[in-house]
Amino acid sequence: MPLLPDLPPVRVATRLAAPDPGWSVEADAVVVGSGVAGLTAALELRSRVRRVLLVTKGVLSSGSTVWAQGGIAAALDPADSPAAHLRDTLLAGGGLCDPRAVETLVTEGPRRVRELVARGAVFDTGPDGVLSLTREGGHRADRIAHAGGDATGAEISRALVAQIEAVREDPGIEVIEHALVLDVLTGAPGPDGAPGPVAGVTLHVIGEGSRDGVGAALAPAVVLATGGIGQVYRSSTNPAQATGDGIAAALRAGALLGDLEFVQFHPTVLWLGAGVKGQLTLVSEAVRGEGALLLDTDGVRFMPDVHELAELAPRDVVAHAIVRRMAATGSDHVWLDARHLGGDFLRRRFPTIHERLAEHGIDPATDLVPVAPAQHYHSGGVVTDLDGRSSVRGLYAVGEVACTGVHGANRLASNSLLEGLVFAHRAARDVAGRVEGGFLPRVEPVVRPGDEALVAAASRARVQRVATDGPGVLRSAEGLRRALDALGRIPADAQARRDDGRPLGEPQLAEWETTNVHQVATVLSLAALAREESRGGHARADHPAPRDAWRVRVGVRAAVGGGVVVGTSGPASDGVSSDDSR
């Protein structure tokens, strides 16, 4: 195991500052999130346990899955194979994938996609009725199934939401919309300081009636399917609700987090100027899969000199090549050239992208499209086993919030929707078996020792600026230490006051989200500082090459009382074997 560098001391609050719950509800399992992973888990649990509660931050159809353009990867072509899909995934993962997790993904994936079709998802087909499959970066075969050209996520979401709506009146399932999960409730910790088992969650509902305000959903199992960390950064392709809520809640509950430093910056995001922030328009990798080329601002194609797959190299390779080319040419973007593909083809194959570009006066059939990398996906998260179990008994994680070991240092294109499908199925089966078998008994929640926190919403822009400049596309020890120092100076104390004595923030949605963003930015920066090499989605200017000693997972967890523990382990391990208490 590599020797960890000297890391600055970091503490995190173990709970959010919030009112006591004013109502409660009981279930056998609580699923948090309504993307492909959350909806799949809820549908599977509904037929396996007596009562499941599905909680979503917006409406059912507002999960991040809706924004997935490219497609879902699976070996569905007879000429393809799970073994080939496994090889491509391992190669993209930079030596840090868990081969067992990848094998599970690629072998179970085709069956799960076919089940998705049986649930009503309509994928694009050819004149013969056979699924149309395309290719994206890092894949050496046509294995990307897509829907509506570039609206795959929206179609998958539509089909799964329709399945939930069809059973809305079933007493065995309850859906609570417009609800932010605040904290994972836990029982008494173990004598060795291990986190207590899950007792449910607290949540805040924006609405009226019996499910209004802060309440408690009590259950022996909680499945986090809360998506990614997009709003930790100043610019992202993620929707506004992606504020790292699940990762932050799991951290406060004492769960082990892993691979946090591996952030995927999508290479081709529409560039609209340096001052633009929030959710940006993604120009799908599938556009390059169909033959679009990358040119620098001098009109020179540069990717063939970088990688054998040229524009279809893994995303980290393309993103870093673009950043280097921008620096060499003194530009803040490069060009995506799809003009040779023709207007009719582009409108038919990429209707959503075509419409988004037209809103900005760009016609990809006649115009070069300005693009630059922006935060897109997070390969790390809550460390789980192959059944979605975290290091906290009764706490599960599926989808982007999880760290299954499938992605390693860099996600292979279109593996994310498949991961959500496959591991949501596995987690639901495991939850049902353990609840019904009595292995996950109900426990009484207790107040965890440590501080409570509330970061003022006004600080969010500052946190995002620090994250973008620190653990951004290119990192360094100096920049990461500066980021940790800046984040540590942002008042996170719930009792922090203005000069006139008024509190800096009130317990409400914007403050809770900002606290989550702050905590995720902090532990992400810490993990990035710990890993002294460049690999996959983690690029260090001061350590530009990968090192064999770092073919390990960096794990982060909050100890009892809020101190942060950092350590390393084999990428397939569920534990932290070399601890450096902070």
Side-chain angles (χ1 to χ4, degrees), residues 119-185:
R119 278 184 158 150
V122 180
F123 289 94
D124 296 336
T125 59
D128 55 1
V130 176
L131 280 178
S132 296
L133 301 174
T134 189
R135 192 175 304 198
E136 292 184 358
H139 292 274
R140 286 167 170 77
D142 293 340
R143 65 169 67 98
I144 313 301
H146 48 85
D150 57 359
T152 309
E155 172 57 20
I156 290 173
S157 179
R158 181 206 61 77
L160 294 176
V161 168
Q163 293 279 310
I164 293 286
E165 294 290 0
V167 297
R168 274 264 202 169
E169 303 306 315
D170 186 333
I173 186 169
E174 180 180 354
V175 177
I176 300 182
E177 298 178 309
H178 304 292
L180 169 68
V181 165
L182 303 178
D183 276 313
V184 174
L185 294 171

Side-chain angles (χ1 to χ4, degrees), residues 31-36 38-40 42-43 53-66 153-154 156-158 160-168 173-179 241:
V31 178
V32 186
S34 61
V36 62
L39 293 171
T40 299
L43 286 167
L53 180 66
L54 174 59
V55 179
T56 180
K57 198 171 179 180
V59 296
L60 274 180
S61 60
S62 65
S64 294
T65 293
V66 171
I156 290 173
S157 179
R158 181 206 61 77
L160 294 176
V161 168
Q163 293 279 310
I164 293 286
E165 294 290 0
V167 297
R168 274 264 202 169
I173 186 169
E174 180 180 354
V175 177
I176 300 182
E177 298 178 309
H178 304 292
Q241 65 264 31

Side-chain angles (χ1 to χ4, degrees), residues 405-471:
V406 159
H407 305 306
N410 183 42
R411 174 181 68 106
L412 181 64
S414 289
N415 268 356
S416 51
L417 292 176
L418 191 70
E419 182 194 29
L421 271 181
V422 168
F423 289 95
H425 272 267
R426 296 179 68 90
R429 288 199 303 266
D430 194 73
V431 168
R434 296 180 78 201
V435 168
E436 294 301 309
F439 299 106
L440 290 178
R442 296 181 184 275
V443 298
E444 287 295 318
V446 301
V447 177
R448 286 191 290 270
D451 301 326
E452 62 178 22
L454 196 71
V455 178
S459 299
R460 188 189 293 197
R462 182 179 171 194
V463 174
Q464 292 173 324
R465 184 174 63 253
V466 169
T468 301
D469 293 341

Side-chain angles (χ1 to χ4, degrees), residues 34-53:
S34 61
V36 62
L39 293 171
T40 299
L43 286 167
E44 290 297 312
L45 281 166
R46 180 229 161 216
S47 62
R48 298 173 187 270
V49 299
R50 287 180 290 275
R51 179 170 171 77
V52 60
L53 180 66

Side-chain angles (χ1 to χ4, degrees), residues 11-18 20 181-190 193-203 217-219 222 224 245-256 390-395 443-453 515-516 519 557-563:
R11 292 183 60 82
V12 294
T14 59
R15 59 191 184 280
L16 293 177
D20 292 333
V181 165
L182 303 178
D183 276 313
V184 174
L185 294 171
T186 52
V198 160
V201 297
T202 52
L203 62 160
L218 304 176
V222 170
L224 297 175
D245 306 327
I247 288 180
L251 174 69
R252 292 190 292 268
L256 176 66
S390 78
S391 61
V392 175
R393 193 179 78 190
L395 181 63
V443 298
E444 287 295 318
V446 301
V447 177
R448 286 191 290 270
D451 301 326
E452 62 178 22
T515 306
N516 290 337
Q519 288 193 332
R557 61 179 174 85
V560 174

Side-chain angles (χ1 to χ4, degrees), residues 74 87 96-97 172 206 242 270 279 281 301 324 335 345 349 378 380 390 408 434 438 462 497 507 516 520:
R87 286 194 296 271
L96 285 191
C97 295
I206 305 170
L270 181 63
Q279 185 179 11
T281 298
R301 186 182 177 202
R324 289 194 294 270
W335 299 111
F345 175 80
R349 177 67 177 85
H378 189 212
S390 78
R434 296 180 78 201
R462 182 179 171 194
R497 301 277 168 174
N516 290 337
V520 171

